[in-house]
Amino acid sequence: MQDSSSITGSSGAESERPSDIYPATDFIREIIKEDIRTGRFGGRVHTRFPPEPNGYLHIGHAKSIVLNYGIAQEFGGKFNLRFDDTNPSKEEVEYVESIIADVRWLGADWEDRLFFASDYFEQLYEWAVKLIKKGKAYVDDLSADEIRAYRGTLTEPGKESPYRNRSIEENLDLFERMRRGEFPDGSRVLRAKIDMASGNMNLRDPILYRIVHESHHRTGDKWCIYPMYDFAHGQCDSIEGITHSICTLEFEDHRPLYDWFLDELEIYHPRQIEFARLNLSYTLLSKRKLLRLVQEKYVDGWDDPRMPTISGIRRRGYTPEALWDFARRIGVAKNDSIVDIALLEYCIRQDLNQRAPRRMAVLRPLKLVIDNYPEDQVEYMQAINNPEDASAGTRQVPFSKVLYIEQDDFREVPPPKYFRLSPGREVRLRYAYFVRCTSVVKDPNTGEVLEVHCTYDPATRGGDAPDGRKVKATLHWVSAAHAVPAEVRLYDRLFIKEDPNQAPEGQDFLANLNPNSLEILQGCQLEPSLAQAQPGETFQFERMGYFCVDKYSQAGAPVFNRTVTLKDTWAKIEQKL
Ligand code: ATP
Ligand code: MG
């Protein structure tokens, strides 16, 4: 391992400019340019982000938001936020609120166009009636199991329901009575009459409406029939005048159905385009699985800083800029792939390197006593706030006789290539003096080093020796009398496997949880300026990484989350490519 004694402010390739790294275009932008050229939508571009409020947003959603909002911006178009709230049983107001906050935090602006699919329930119902009147939809009395059995398989055609040829009048009557609540859940559905022998299973008379006697977070008990996603989505796009309905690849097989509804209803027809969803190594991006982690308390909630949710990584100290950078670097493609999480970490390092103020913080303190330093003296050392940003200025850090240094920065018996403090050796204290270790005080029972004693050379104030002598290490420190004690939480990956879904026989992704994903350090010692740090503020603790004040941190008992370490694995990977 490399000796970490040297202090460098930066983390590598900061000379890159976004214009050099982002793909200039992609297949979606090319489609849109072509549509503008041919005047397909009158030159308009209007996208949307359509979350289902059944969980918190994750980094994969961020990719979709950046794509949809980014395209609207680039082409001078519009962007809508629309909740796909067609399923009353899994949806909650908490999710709606968190999603709004997350999309806003990412910087996507829907202006006054925040919509809910439930806003359109009446219109969707009328459209269902229209299909019935056209002889293109029917009420089916088969049970869910029977419908499944009648559907056939990929290799065998399905069978037509015995209720498929009901008269239009009977269908209209039954559908209206479904709406009025005359029938129990699951007793009837409304289906499109398309083709039970279609090679595309989605076209085998898909269900349009189900009976669900449940309250909806917005419409209350007004409805007891709810439209299926497929019947709602395209029609919502149509109502809102969306031009390009961008979704993930699993909807490719649904596109013929998307088109069928709009054609049969003879309404404005947006264009669906599919792209590959984001997969990230060591990470799960499935709301269903993330919900299990929350419900079964493997994490502290949706905003646990180990979660790949937007609220989790925000609490961890990630910035919207880093997520945009990440999303734009990975671009969009038509085939599935797995992105290395090291790239995401690289993006946040790049961003924080530019903007995070530097501070000194000792995470695992060891007392360092300067025997020849006057007992009651305090000197204020000038420290640079950010070597990447001269406008960040400097600050004064108190220095005194008793300091804390990292336990790791002292070895009684130094191993080869260890250049930090050990008996007889001289090192630099950052922004202060050279000190030489003279002795140690040990616990007589355990042999543990309790204190390191040293002498300082007053001629080296500021960190340089007038006689030109050199030291091989520079350590950070905190004055014990002035230090602010804090709790620091060190996070590691939540899963130990690159693909967390690959579990041993008979087990699931939970088997791959990293038992050491969180280490809590109590009694860390911070330089006094950090006493004023506010929740959400991020700093670089010199030599230790980037840290952010936890959102639940209390004044007087600060809690910091490690956002990311300083060690950059991605820059190395990139060099090799
Ligand atoms: P999950 O699979 O986690 O349940 P979902 O796709 O059902 O997610 P939605 O709320 O329906 O969640 O997603 C809203 C939008 O975000 C959709 O357009 C969807 O295609 C997109 N999206 C979801 N997951 C990803 C991902 N991993 N990468 C890119 N886009 C995604
Ligand atoms: Mg979905």
Side-chain angles (χ1 to χ4, degrees):
M1 221 192 81
Q2 228 189 334
D3 193 291
S4 63
S5 60
S6 67
I7 294 183
T8 51
S10 72
S11 64
E14 66 270 22
S15 58
E16 280 182 342
R17 288 191 319 275
S19 54
D20 300 337
I21 31 179
Y22 301 147
T25 186
D26 52 57
F27 77 96
I28 297 180
R29 287 172 167 86
E30 286 308 303
I31 290 174
I32 292 175
K33 281 186 206 159
E34 183 62 11
D35 286 345
I36 291 173
R37 199 183 62 77
T38 61
R40 177 164 174 173
F41 298 105
R44 285 188 314 118
V45 174
H46 198 154
T47 58
R48 86 286 173 266
F49 175 65
E52 186 182 347
N54 62 349
Y56 280 55
L57 298 184
H58 53 58
I59 304 171
H61 295 115
K63 172 179 175 174
S64 176
I65 294 164
V66 166
L67 178 64
N68 279 291
Y69 181 62
I71 282 175
Q73 270 190 314
E74 283 161 47
F75 292 96
K78 290 180 174 156
F79 167 83
N80 291 7
L81 174 59
R82 181 204 316 140
F83 285 94
D84 237 316
D85 57 348
T86 50
N87 183 355
S89 45
K90 284 193 292 182
E91 294 162 0
E92 286 176 31
V93 177
E94 176 195 348
Y95 298 140
V96 171
E97 286 169 358
S98 76
I99 290 169
I100 289 176
D102 288 348
V103 179
R104 186 169 284 144
W105 177 77
L106 270 175
D109 184 4
W110 57 88
E111 300 174 35
D112 57 350
R113 293 178 306 279
L114 167 63
F115 299 119
F116 292 82
S118 55
D119 296 342
Y120 314 129
F121 278 173
E122 195 65 48
Q123 173 70 76
L124 291 169
Y125 178 83
E126 280 167 31
W127 279 333
V129 169
K130 179 168 175 179
L131 288 183
I132 295 174
K133 286 183 177 160
K134 283 182 82 174
K136 299 287 183 171
Y138 62 98
V139 173
D140 195 353
D141 300 359
L142 290 184
S143 69
D145 285 342
E146 287 166 327
I147 289 178
R148 210 168 300 123
Y150 275 59
R151 244 182 125 212
T153 64
L154 285 172
T155 50
E156 284 168 60
K159 253 187 354 190
E160 294 190 353
S161 164
Y163 304 98
R164 197 175 198 259
N165 294 312
R166 277 180 159 145
S167 70
I168 289 174
E169 289 65 37
E170 190 183 3
N171 280 319
L172 286 173
D173 175 61
L174 285 173
F175 188 49
E176 201 196 318
R177 288 165 61 197
M178 276 171 65
R179 177 184 184 164
R180 284 210 303 262
E182 289 187 23
F183 311 120
D185 288 5
S187 59
R188 292 193 158 93
V189 291
L190 183 74
R191 299 179 73 174
K193 195 190 276 191
I194 307 181
D195 178 6
M196 287 307 290
S198 172
N200 182 339
M201 301 286 282
N202 295 302
L203 297 180
R204 294 187 186 172
D205 291 10
I207 296 173
L208 309 188
Y209 271 89
R210 337 170 265 152
I211 302 173
V212 186
H213 287 270
E214 255 181 77
S215 286
H216 185 276
H217 73 113
R218 284 178 70 84
T219 56
D221 294 322
K222 176 162 187 223
W223 295 89
C224 62
I225 56 171
Y226 290 93
M228 301 299 287
Y229 169 87
D230 278 325
F231 186 65
H233 195 83
Q235 282 76 287
C236 294
D237 285 343
S238 177
I239 293 169
E240 293 176 13
I242 300 302
T243 56
H244 298 88
S245 179
I246 301 168
C247 61
T248 37
L249 278 183
E250 66 270 25
F251 293 103
E252 195 164 17
D253 288 345
H254 294 241
R255 182 162 16 103
L257 187 54
Y258 182 99
D259 291 334
W260 188 90
F261 287 132
L262 297 173
D263 287 340
E264 289 297 336
L265 293 170
E266 299 161 74
I267 55 178
Y268 165 73
H269 197 143
R271 172 171 191 173
Q272 175 177 308
I273 306 171
E274 308 87 15
F275 71 100
R277 63 195 293 117
L278 170 67
N279 299 301
L280 203 54
S281 62
Y282 299 97
T283 308
L284 281 179
L285 297 180
S286 149
K287 279 190 278 192
R288 194 171 48 80
K289 288 174 186 160
L290 297 179
L291 178 64
R292 269 194 75 191
L293 294 176
V294 173
Q295 282 181 335
E296 295 172 28
K297 302 212 183 309
Y298 291 100
V299 294
D300 285 339
W302 286 100
D303 65 354
D304 185 300
R306 291 166 293 182
M307 290 281 272
T309 51
I310 295 181
S311 52
I313 62 174
R314 170 164 74 233
R315 181 171 166 200
R316 173 112 167 220
Y318 274 69
T319 60
E321 290 81 359
L323 285 183
W324 271 78
D325 182 31
F326 173 71
R328 304 214 57 185
R329 279 168 188 267
I330 58 178
V332 285
K334 197 80 192 173
N335 50 320
D336 274 311
S337 64
I338 299 175
V339 175
D340 190 334
I341 192 160
L343 176 61
L344 179 65
E345 292 166 353
Y346 172 83
C347 292
I348 185 62
R349 259 185 219 110
Q350 288 288 111
D351 188 38
L352 293 180
N353 180 45
Q354 299 300 319
R355 64 163 94 205
R358 275 52 170 174
R359 293 292 182 264
M360 293 200 283
V362 175
L363 302 190
R364 295 176 178 88
L366 174 62
K367 214 172 240 181
L368 181 74
V369 183
I370 308 172
D371 291 325
N372 61 339
Y373 195 84
E375 193 76 41
D376 295 320
Q377 182 170 309
V378 178
E379 288 178 86
Y380 283 84
M381 303 302 184
Q382 176 162 303
I384 294 168
N385 283 332
N386 187 349
E388 300 290 321
D389 176 7
S391 73
T394 59
R395 69 191 184 284
Q396 302 293 315
V397 185
F399 181 89
S400 65
K401 186 181 179 75
V402 182
L403 309 172
Y404 292 116
I405 61 169
E406 295 289 342
Q407 288 167 15
D408 254 5
D409 283 340
F410 176 80
R411 284 284 175 280
E412 197 178 10
V413 182
K417 293 197 182 153
Y418 184 91
F419 299 116
R420 291 170 269 171
L421 203 58
S422 61
R425 187 172 296 158
E426 189 172 53
V427 298
R428 174 188 295 110
L429 295 179
R430 175 86 153 152
Y431 300 122
Y433 294 104
F434 284 13
V435 291
R436 186 181 299 279
C437 173
T438 50
S439 64
V440 295
V441 176
K442 291 195 214 179
D443 182 314
N445 298 319
T446 64
E448 186 198 349
V449 176
L450 300 178
E451 279 178 16
V452 175
H453 284 252
C454 63
T455 55
Y456 84 118
D457 176 355
T460 57
R461 190 171 200 266
D464 280 309
D467 63 4
R469 74 182 190 277
K470 299 283 179 222
V471 287
K472 286 203 169 130
T474 300
L475 312 186
H476 64 278
W477 49 270
V478 171
S479 166
H482 303 88
V484 175
E487 177 179 316
V488 174
R489 298 174 184 165
L490 306 180
Y491 299 101
D492 200 349
R493 292 174 179 160
L494 194 49
F495 293 98
I496 48 175
K497 281 249 178 81
E498 194 167 326
D499 175 1
N501 284 315
Q502 243 171 41
E505 201 42 46
Q507 290 180 288
D508 61 11
F509 65 95
L510 294 173
N512 294 324
L513 277 168
N514 175 4
N516 304 313
S517 60
L518 170 59
E519 185 184 356
I520 297 181
L521 301 177
Q522 310 273 1
C524 305
Q525 303 289 345
L526 318 181
E527 67 165 77
S529 69
L530 287 166
Q532 276 85 47
Q534 295 300 311
E537 268 189 274
T538 303
F539 301 89
Q540 185 192 93
F541 291 173
E542 297 210 28
R543 302 171 67 221
M544 306 310 286
Y546 293 100
F547 293 80
C548 153
V549 185
D550 189 69
K551 74 189 232 201
Y552 302 117
S553 179
Q554 304 281 328
V559 176
F560 282 77
N561 297 319
R562 183 170 70 195
T563 309
V564 67
T565 59
L566 291 177
K567 194 177 71 195
D568 191 353
T569 49
W570 183 257
K572 285 187 206 114
I573 295 169
E574 221 180 29
Q575 274 164 18
K576 274 193 240 142
L577 294 177

